[in-house]
Amino acid sequence: VSVVGSAATAGLTGALVMLTLTLSTLGLPLEGVGLLLAIDPILDMGRTATNVAGQALVPTVVAKREGILDLERYRSARVEDIFAEDEDRAQQDDEVVSGRAPVDGVAVPR
């Protein structure tokens, strides 16, 4: 029951659905769900924080090992400096596409 139930409730947050399913199948009282409702939001915040930290850490470690991590940007003290080069490049691309900037020294007709 737990395996089938976990496959069916994979997209739901919290363990309420699985707990209710398991308790009712085993013939146990459903009053235990009330206890879980009191602490589950706090536990869920901890699970979410761990998940977010892992999702940020793993790509950084992989990029460092592959040699594609820009250490200068990574160690930058100011967040707005990190994306400044990308914004400048995007603005230049927009000017080229709109015909306001020359491409390789040749003006692009509108």
Side-chain angles (χ1 to χ4, degrees), residues 62-79:
V62 170
K64 172 75 170 140
R65 287 186 178 179
E66 292 294 320
I68 58 175
L69 181 65
D70 187 352
L71 290 176
E72 182 179 329
R73 279 189 181 185
Y74 181 76
R75 293 180 180 148
S76 175
R78 294 177 25 173
V79 174

Side-chain angles (χ1 to χ4, degrees), residues 54-99:
Q55 294 293 325
L57 177 67
V58 171
T60 305
V61 170
V62 170
K64 172 75 170 140
R65 287 186 178 179
E66 292 294 320
I68 58 175
L69 181 65
D70 187 352
L71 290 176
E72 182 179 329
R73 279 189 181 185
Y74 181 76
R75 293 180 180 148
S76 175
R78 294 177 25 173
V79 174
E80 56 269 5
D81 291 345
I82 294 173
F83 299 107
E85 182 180 307
D86 295 335
E87 290 174 2
D88 291 342
R89 186 176 300 132
Q91 184 178 3
Q92 290 172 355
D93 291 344
D94 288 343
E95 290 175 356
V96 168
V97 169
S98 66

